[in-house]
Amino acid sequence: MSSPRHIVLTSHSQHGSNWLLPVNWGAKSAHARGPIIGTLTNPSMKNAIGTHSGSYSVYRALSVAAGRLDPSHFPDLSNTSPITSIGPFDQWFEPDKIVSLDPWGHNVVNEFSAQINDGIDIRPTIALTQARLTLHEIHDAIRNKRLAPDGEILLDSGDVCVTKIAIDPVWHLPGIAHRFNVDQHDFRRVLFEQTGGMYPELVTRSDLEVFLPPIGGITAYIFGDIAGLSNRKTALACRVHDECNGSDVFGSDICTCRPYLTHGIEICVEMAQSG
């Protein structure tokens, strides 16, 4: 494995993917919108500022520097289609409606299969998987007859079946600026300054409107039929939770995060079981 020893600055416009594969945010289809390309295997094809999974970029750099990962590594996305279909919905086609994630990000393997087969390194920004939750508080709820297994959502083992959605942030800079009523150029300049000048493209590449910020994403756990989320007649329970290592993982009594979380999960199970 070898890697180039010279640094290629990205602060000036080059003939790259912003011409070949432009991003038309809010377009009526994935193909009209275009893929988000933040990968480094072929920098000339990038049409976004930053990199995919930006919060893990330092770990990737360690692996490359240690000779454990080829910097040109191209992942095999075979059999990675989402386990369920979501959308598209009308709000996907309004440029100012969704500005901090890519609504097509879970389905790039299907929507952009031709480009991927042509060797363009397009990666998902959303992962949909099925999972089971095993929590002793839910077992307690079953023993105390607050919950009853139904064999579909809550199993006889006490495990809860959920759809897990992991989301990496994808910022459409014009939409973010409009949402917060700030000038886009000022916003880009302040982002550049407050990230220690990490991304010079923010102030020199106005043709690049999508930013993959180096921050952690969010995870959503869906209980019950995921189609119910878009049905306005479906009653929903929602818990917005800020993960807390001390309480959630180690059970510390320094705060009440875990009790609130497990209570929310119990209510979500009840709501899913009731339809």
Side-chain angles (χ1 to χ4, degrees), residues 230-241:
S230 58
N231 185 347
R232 294 183 180 275
K233 296 181 180 180
T234 300
L236 301 176
C238 177
R239 162 69 183 173
V240 179
H241 188 74

Side-chain angles (χ1 to χ4, degrees), residues 8-29:
V8 179
L9 296 178
T10 59
S11 59
H12 298 286
S13 180
Q14 299 175 5
H15 184 71
S17 60
N18 54 311
W19 306 106
L20 302 176
L21 291 170
V23 176
N24 301 302
W25 201 264
K28 295 292 185 181
S29 69

Side-chain angles (χ1 to χ4, degrees), residues 108-164:
V108 299
V109 173
N110 296 326
E111 294 288 353
F112 302 112
S113 58
Q115 292 93 329
I116 293 173
N117 291 335
D118 286 341
I120 300 177
D121 192 355
I122 304 170
R123 304 190 185 188
T125 58
I126 299 176
L128 266 72
T129 56
Q130 290 179 327
R132 293 184 181 182
L133 306 181
T134 302
L135 300 168
H136 68 80
E137 291 91 342
I138 297 299
H139 293 185
D140 289 342
I142 295 173
R143 282 193 294 269
N144 294 321
K145 301 188 184 305
R146 296 197 307 273
L147 292 176
D150 59 273
E152 182 177 350
I153 296 166
L154 183 57
L155 305 182
D156 292 335
S157 64
D159 288 354
V160 183
C161 294
V162 297
T163 301
K164 178 184 176 183

Side-chain angles (χ1 to χ4, degrees), residues 38 51-60 123-125 168-169 212-215:
T51 66
H52 287 305
S53 303
S55 60
Y56 293 95
S57 58
V58 291
Y59 304 117
R60 189 167 58 246
R123 304 190 185 188
T125 58
D168 271 347
L212 306 176
I215 56 178

Side-chain angles (χ1 to χ4, degrees), residues 13-268:
S13 180
Q14 299 175 5
H15 184 71
S17 60
N18 54 311
W19 306 106
L20 302 176
L21 291 170
V23 176
N24 301 302
W25 201 264
K28 295 292 185 181
S29 69
H31 290 275
R33 203 288 308 274
I36 302 297
I37 308 174
T39 45
L40 302 175
T41 53
N42 187 351
S44 67
M45 297 302 296
K46 283 187 63 177
N47 61 7
I49 302 168
T51 66
H52 287 305
S53 303
S55 60
Y56 293 95
S57 58
V58 291
Y59 304 117
R60 189 167 58 246
L62 282 171
S63 298
V64 172
R68 301 298 179 88
L69 178 67
D70 187 337
S72 62
H73 171 70
F74 196 108
D76 182 3
L77 298 180
S78 302
N79 302 318
T80 60
S81 295
I83 52 93
T84 188
S85 177
I86 297 180
F89 300 108
D90 289 343
Q91 57 265 42
W92 294 19
F93 313 137
E94 300 179 41
D96 291 336
K97 201 74 165 182
I98 298 176
V99 295
S100 60
L101 60 86
D102 175 10
W104 303 100
H106 67 296
N107 208 24
V108 299
V109 173
N110 296 326
E111 294 288 353
F112 302 112
S113 58
Q115 292 93 329
I116 293 173
N117 291 335
D118 286 341
I120 300 177
D121 192 355
I122 304 170
R123 304 190 185 188
T125 58
I126 299 176
L128 266 72
T129 56
Q130 290 179 327
R132 293 184 181 182
L133 306 181
T134 302
L135 300 168
H136 68 80
E137 291 91 342
I138 297 299
H139 293 185
D140 289 342
I142 295 173
R143 282 193 294 269
N144 294 321
K145 301 188 184 305
R146 296 197 307 273
L147 292 176
D150 59 273
E152 182 177 350
I153 296 166
L154 183 57
L155 305 182
D156 292 335
S157 64
D159 288 354
V160 183
C161 294
V162 297
T163 301
K164 178 184 176 183
I165 308 176
I167 305 170
D168 271 347
V170 178
W171 286 9
H172 182 236
L173 293 173
I176 291 275
H178 183 263
R179 181 71 57 87
F180 287 91
N181 194 30
V182 297
D183 180 79
Q184 183 192 164
H185 299 291
D186 289 342
F187 176 49
R188 294 171 72 115
R189 177 181 54 79
V190 173
L191 267 178
F192 171 73
E193 294 171 349
Q194 295 299 313
T195 55
M198 290 171 61
Y199 303 101
E201 302 99 321
L202 285 168
V203 291
T204 61
R205 294 290 304 275
S206 59
D207 57 315
L208 298 180
E209 295 184 339
V210 174
F211 178 44
L212 306 176
I215 56 178
I218 61 173
T219 304
Y221 291 87
I222 310 300
F223 299 73
D225 183 9
I226 200 168
L229 290 174
S230 58
N231 185 347
R232 294 183 180 275
K233 296 181 180 180
T234 300
L236 301 176
C238 177
R239 162 69 183 173
V240 179
H241 188 74
D242 184 11
E243 62 182 348
C244 169
N245 195 54
S247 180
D248 291 351
V249 178
F250 295 107
S252 168
D253 63 357
I254 195 171
C255 61
T256 54
C257 293
R258 185 178 176 97
Y260 283 135
L261 174 62
T262 55
H263 174 69
I265 290 174
E266 186 173 329
I267 297 303
C268 286

